[in-house]
Amino acid sequence: MPPSLLLLLALGLGLAGWLAARARAWSFRRAEPGVRLAALPSYHAWYVALWVVVPVLLFALVWNVASPQLVNQAVLASPAAADLPPFGMQRETMLAEARNVASGAAPAVFNPGARALVEPFREALTRYNLIGLAVTLILAFGTGVWAFLRLKPDFAARTRVERMVMVVLLLASLVAILTTFGIFLSLVVETTRFFGMISPGDFLFGTHWGPDPMSSAANPDPSRYGALPLFWGTIYIGAIIAMLVAIPLGMMCAVYLTQYASPRWRKVLKPSLELLAGVPTVVYGYFAALTVAPFVRDVARSVGIANASSESALAAGLVMGVMIIPFVSSMADDSIAAVPQAMRDGSLAMGATTNETIRRVLIPAALPGIVAGVMLAISRAIGETMIVVMAAGAAANLTVNPFEAMTTVTFQIVAMLTGEGSFDHPATLSAFALGFVLFMVTLALNFIALRVVKRFREAYD
């Protein structure tokens, strides 16, 4: 059964429960006009509606995961599945083709062996769709009737509804935490498998990166898995060149907007600047590849640098720096604006000029917030992929020459995972190890940024 149908069914039954409970609450008032209800009729209605909708939604989530497995088991137990291969990609392909035809997602099967499975799939889908629909109705009516019968004039429906909403909000907040934990766990598992083939020392400190997905997975060459050029490329492009662009320009934007710009001009400039954060990174990539990179190459050759490449770390870093200017300027703007007006007025009253007040009072006072913004911007920059793909090249060079092609961790993760290599090969598993290191670096930067922000808040609360 499609999840959208279960969702619509839950909302429809919830609406019916809402209307019925509200009518019952109003009947209490009409039956005893002098008696005051413990909660408004709308809270009675929401109490019943939540008891209908929430269990149905939870069941829909579970059923959406469990029903495909149940359908597969039913099909595999049928006589038509006796001719299937015991395991492997061909078996999964035949099952997928038959399932798509049975569910109406495909007009016909391409593999003749899958044709016999279409009817068993159709029967299993029909049977389990009916089971899902029946359980949904029973669950909705059961919980709805139970909640409906609890309604009384002295029933504290508002307290119950607020508790249920609080639980729903708690579950929503746990989604992000559990998602992060799941990502971290998957990275740890695959990274552990990779380090079982390649030692961490060779990976972290090796200077040559050239995994071969076609080589033997049993005897990998550790000397080809040195990720130091990738880490250096990531830091050089995202944390050095990009920051040399973003920090000065972002700070100057923030100082101008907070101290010199008129309110009318600020209303125009600040939203215009923040539009840069909404531009898709692929657009920045186009700009870097078609405009900035050729310009950088031509300038370099005009000053005598003969080996300047059309794909360079400098071009990628410059465009990446422009991309993250809004991150730096926005955080710096908020931090400078949060400095108490008394500090600014006191400095000016002591005879300091506006320039001296900015340099010696406002920026030092706002420095924790500015540093937090820079840390978040670095986290954003080192995770960028599209600009690097289109402007920096794919060569894993351990060099400080910004006019040479370089690559980053994110680019190599994409390259390793989009090939046709097996997930048991160290070349593919190296993508998880790179992702794990990148995850830990960004986690550390975010942790530092949060600590700095906390210090900033403690200073002015």
Side-chain angles (χ1 to χ4, degrees):
M1 179 179 295
S4 57
L5 181 59
L6 288 179
L7 177 62
L8 292 176
L9 189 60
L11 294 178
L13 293 174
L15 177 61
W18 192 90
L19 294 173
R22 190 169 183 272
R24 181 176 173 82
W26 280 111
S27 70
F28 295 149
R29 282 192 173 182
R30 287 193 295 269
E32 300 180 18
V35 177
R36 184 177 181 181
L37 297 180
L40 294 175
S42 60
Y43 284 106
H44 290 78
W46 281 114
Y47 178 74
V48 175
L50 287 173
W51 267 109
V52 172
V53 173
V54 174
V56 170
L57 290 180
L58 293 177
F59 170 74
L61 290 175
V62 175
W63 189 246
N64 192 40
V65 175
S67 61
Q69 305 301 325
L70 295 174
V71 169
N72 277 345
Q73 289 180 4
V75 172
L76 293 176
S78 66
D83 296 333
L84 277 175
F87 57 86
M89 184 177 296
Q90 185 181 4
R91 172 192 175 97
E92 298 301 324
T93 304
M94 293 171 66
L95 289 172
E97 287 184 8
R99 184 188 184 94
N100 289 336
V101 173
S103 62
V109 296
F110 294 99
N111 195 324
R115 190 169 296 110
L117 299 173
V118 174
E119 194 58 32
F121 257 115
R122 191 170 287 130
E123 294 176 358
L125 286 172
T126 303
R127 181 165 66 253
Y128 283 103
N129 282 343
L130 291 175
I131 292 174
L133 179 61
V135 173
T136 300
L137 293 175
I138 293 172
L139 192 63
F141 279 109
T143 55
V145 170
W146 177 79
F148 186 82
L149 294 178
R150 296 192 68 189
L151 300 182
K152 304 290 185 208
D154 58 347
F155 182 68
R158 175 182 174 180
T159 304
R160 307 298 176 88
V161 169
E162 289 178 347
R163 287 178 182 173
M164 294 175 71
V165 171
M166 186 181 67
V167 172
V168 172
L169 295 176
L170 176 62
L171 293 176
S173 64
L174 288 177
V175 169
I177 298 173
L178 294 177
T179 302
T180 305
F181 180 75
I183 293 172
F184 178 75
L185 187 62
S186 65
L187 286 176
V188 168
V189 171
E190 301 299 337
T191 302
T192 304
R193 291 178 60 197
F194 174 73
F195 284 145
M197 304 174 185
I198 305 295
S199 72
D202 293 333
F203 176 73
L204 295 174
F205 302 108
T207 58
H208 173 64
W209 177 260
D212 183 8
M214 305 308 294
S215 64
S216 172
N219 297 305
D221 183 3
S223 64
R224 301 176 69 90
Y225 289 89
L228 194 57
L230 307 185
F231 298 137
W232 169 245
T234 303
I235 294 172
Y236 194 50
I237 295 174
I240 296 179
I241 298 177
M243 288 302 115
L244 288 177
V245 176
I247 292 176
L249 291 179
M251 282 298 302
M252 286 190 282
C253 289
V255 169
Y256 176 75
L257 290 174
T258 56
Q259 302 301 316
Y260 294 103
S262 64
R264 180 180 298 177
W265 193 227
R266 175 183 168 86
K267 287 182 180 178
V268 176
L269 282 182
K270 189 170 183 180
S272 302
L273 183 64
E274 291 176 348
L275 281 178
L276 289 174
V279 177
T281 56
V282 67
V283 177
Y284 283 109
Y286 288 142
F287 179 63
L290 301 180
T291 305
V292 179
F295 176 76
V296 169
R297 179 200 57 203
D298 295 341
V299 171
R301 289 180 178 176
S302 66
V303 298
I305 303 175
N307 59 347
S309 173
S310 57
E311 293 178 332
S312 63
L314 182 59
L318 288 174
V319 178
M320 199 179 293
V322 172
M323 182 187 70
I324 59 177
I325 283 175
F327 291 88
V328 178
S329 66
S330 180
M331 288 291 290
D333 183 282
D334 294 340
S335 301
I336 294 174
V339 176
Q341 184 66 29
M343 296 178 66
R344 185 182 292 104
D345 295 342
S347 175
L348 296 174
M350 293 288 291
T353 63
T354 303
N355 181 279
E356 291 170 336
T357 302
I358 293 171
R359 287 188 294 109
R360 299 186 179 183
V361 177
L362 296 182
I363 291 181
L367 192 60
I370 295 171
V371 173
V374 171
M375 291 294 180
L376 292 175
I378 294 175
S379 299
R380 175 72 178 81
I382 65 175
E384 171 55 33
T385 305
M386 192 59 66
I387 296 174
V388 178
V389 170
M390 302 179 74
N397 290 326
L398 190 59
T399 176
V400 294
N401 185 355
F403 299 103
E404 290 189 11
M406 301 180 75
T407 189
T408 63
V409 170
T410 53
F411 176 84
Q412 290 301 319
I413 290 175
V414 174
M416 292 296 107
L417 290 180
T418 53
E420 297 181 355
S422 168
F423 273 79
D424 293 327
H425 197 282
T428 307
L429 293 176
S430 65
F432 295 95
L434 292 173
F436 178 76
V437 175
L438 189 65
F439 181 86
M440 296 305 295
V441 170
T442 54
L443 183 67
L445 290 174
N446 288 334
F447 179 76
I448 294 171
L450 290 175
R451 295 292 301 175
V452 173
V453 169
K454 184 178 180 182
R455 177 186 172 191
F456 169 73
R457 288 176 178 170
E458 287 178 349
Y460 297 110
D461 277 344

